[in-house]
């Protein structure tokens, strides 16, 4: 095969890999944000429970 074909194939494969990595990173970021929000909610509930009966 000619050099142009190899360059095109490598470019396509590289683009697919970058798209897959970006999708994975976005999904991971969403999971981490949700986990952080859940932890903040639990912390708020604990603080409210501790401040309740004075």
């Amino acid at each position: 095969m000619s050099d142009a074909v190899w360059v095109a194939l490598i470019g396509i494969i590289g683009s697919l890999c970058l798209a897959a990595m970006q999708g994975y990173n976005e999904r991971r970021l969403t999971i981490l944000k949700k986990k952080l929000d859940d932890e903040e909610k639990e912390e708020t509930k604990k603080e409210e429970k501790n401040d309740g009966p004075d």
Side-chain angles (χ1 to χ4, degrees):
M1 284 198 258
S2 68
D3 290 341
V5 174
W6 282 112
V7 169
L9 285 174
I10 291 171
I12 291 169
I13 292 170
S15 297
L16 290 173
C17 289
L18 286 174
M21 285 176 18
Q22 184 179 3
Y24 172 79
N25 287 337
E26 287 177 3
R27 183 172 179 273
R28 184 72 182 143
L29 184 61
T30 304
I31 291 170
L32 289 174
K33 283 182 180 178
K34 184 180 182 302
K35 191 179 288 187
L36 182 62
D37 288 344
D38 291 345
E39 287 177 1
E40 286 178 356
K41 287 178 185 176
E42 287 180 17
E43 211 172 278
T44 304
K45 286 180 183 177
K46 286 180 183 177
E47 287 175 1
E48 289 174 358
K49 191 175 185 180
N50 290 340
D51 293 340
D54 283 338

